[in-house]
Amino acid sequence: MAVLVTGGAGYIGSHMVLALQDAGDQAVVLDNLSTGFRSAVGAAATFIEGDFGDQALVERIIATHGITAIAHFAAKIVVPESVADPLGYYLNNTAKARNLIAAAVATGVRHFIFSSTAAVYGDASGGAVGEDAPLAPMSPYGRSKLMVEWMLADTAAAHDLRYVVLRYFNVAGADPAGRAGQSTRDATHLIKVAVQAALGRRPGMSIFGMDYDTPDGTCLRDYIQVSDLAQAHRDALAYLRAGHDSHTFNCGYGQGYSVRQVVDVVKAASGVDFPVTMVPRRAGDPPAIVADNSRIKAVLGWRPRYDDLSAIVTQALDWERRLHNQRP
Ligand code: UDP
């Protein structure tokens, strides 16, 4: 069966394409290559360069390739950028997603998997956060994603569409076989930045805020390995295909690490004591956010395989070295 993967040339989407192919599904990638790479999509997948918000294009792709499900990854994902450019985020993440959902409804595609985010919860300092916790995003990014969750719920109530919302915590690492990884230029995410500092790709790095009400004063996050996250999408697809109802799941390991701990793990794994500067807080950052993942384990039967921060960092280091050889 053919699955349309928007953003399939990006970091998480390219791992989804591999997971689909490993399971014998056909992947059709739609990506505008704004941040993704054509080379991230292997020859076994169909690649179309275009905009997922172009409803007519999406409807043609669905008809031509016999698409039965959509996994929607394409998005802008940088919290501080969303604070500076909210309308860009609402256009790309929210308005265009409306067109994509409309294309699904118009063509009778009944299964939709949406990449949402733990940023919909806002500050979750009280401990592991469950899916029914209050939704109070602290950034335009979080709000741009939450609005799509609401659109999906309303659309599923009115039309023959069922969906799974996956709320990602902090995604990191790379395909353990080395087939894919994070190639994003000008990456801002912590593990990627720290790994680049360790390998001399940047002179050092900054820690944004040491005065949070957390054990060491830096923010706590729940880092999930990217192939485990792709597997969650495979499990979600199997769940929808089995006829189950729409549902929302956290994707995280349930373990928080501070920014300082992550930096220490990268230093230990690389053996490089790169320069780290303490700077003020970054706009839009909640102090702590850790997943309660009991629902995805119970309902989807999701079983993480790579829940080990030091192994995740090693994968990221290996991928960054490979990238360096390709793009010195
Ligand atoms: N962070 C940092 N230095 C960096 C990048 C990130 O201190 O160069 C911190 C950031 O402030 C946040 C955590 O690392 O507390 C995770 O940020 P990231 O951008 O990786 O993901 P987010 O949680 O914003 O989605």
Side-chain angles (χ1 to χ4, degrees), residues 77-80 117-119 141 168-171 187-194 202 204-209 212 218-223 257-260 262-263 276-277 279-289:
I77 58 160
V78 180
V79 169
T117 170
Y141 168 64
Y168 305 171
F169 286 63
N170 289 63
V171 188
T188 59
H189 288 116
L190 176 64
I191 290 182
K192 175 86 174 175
V193 166
R202 53 174 85 218
M205 63 166 291
S206 301
I207 292 183
F208 301 129
Y212 287 98
T218 66
C219 290
L220 289 181
R221 294 288 183 275
D222 184 341
Y223 295 89
Y257 290 95
S258 73
V259 174
R260 208 184 249 290
V262 170
V263 170
V276 177
T277 313
V279 300
R281 293 182 179 197
R282 192 176 72 170
D285 275 342
I289 182 131

Side-chain angles (χ1 to χ4, degrees), residues 245-256:
D245 278 342
S246 300
H247 218 335
T248 297
F249 301 99
N250 283 342
C251 296
Y253 291 144
Q255 165 78 48

Side-chain angles (χ1 to χ4, degrees), residues 155-246:
T155 305
H159 298 283
D160 185 19
L161 176 88
R162 282 175 299 111
Y163 66 86
V164 166
V165 164
L166 296 176
R167 292 183 180 150
Y168 305 171
F169 286 63
N170 289 63
V171 188
D175 175 50
R179 298 173 296 173
Q182 190 172 14
S183 304
T184 326
R185 290 189 200 278
D186 306 319
T188 59
H189 288 116
L190 176 64
I191 290 182
K192 175 86 174 175
V193 166
V195 158
Q196 288 181 332
L199 297 181
R201 305 285 276 167
R202 53 174 85 218
M205 63 166 291
S206 301
I207 292 183
F208 301 129
M210 298 286 297
D211 57 348
Y212 287 98
D213 185 16
T214 57
D216 68 11
T218 66
C219 290
L220 289 181
R221 294 288 183 275
D222 184 341
Y223 295 89
I224 175 173
Q225 197 272 353
V226 62
S227 313
D228 275 343
L229 181 61
Q231 182 57 42
H233 293 72
R234 287 278 320 140
D235 295 341
L237 193 58
Y239 168 90
L240 289 171
R241 285 175 175 166
H244 297 295
D245 278 342
S246 300

Side-chain angles (χ1 to χ4, degrees), residues 9 14 33 36-43 47 179 183 319 326-327:
S14 62
L33 300 183
F37 295 89
R38 177 67 186 86
S39 57
V41 184
F47 176 80
R179 298 173 296 173
S183 304
W319 179 257
Q326 286 164 9
R327 303 183 196 152

Side-chain angles (χ1 to χ4, degrees), residues 14-89:
S14 62
H15 289 81
M16 176 62 170
V17 170
L18 293 175
L20 286 168
Q21 290 171 342
D22 290 349
D25 271 310
Q26 175 67 27
V28 177
V29 170
L30 174 61
D31 197 302
N32 68 1
L33 300 183
S34 57
T35 55
F37 295 89
R38 177 67 186 86
S39 57
V41 184
T46 303
F47 176 80
I48 297 149
E49 185 173 346
D51 187 343
F52 72 85
D54 180 343
Q55 188 175 337
L57 170 66
V58 173
E59 289 184 15
R60 277 199 305 278
I61 294 170
I62 290 169
T64 307
H65 297 278
I67 300 293
T68 58
I70 297 175
H72 176 38
F73 293 86
K76 288 172 165 284
I77 58 160
V78 180
V79 169
E81 185 184 61
S82 79
V83 175
D85 179 25
L87 294 176
Y89 273 66

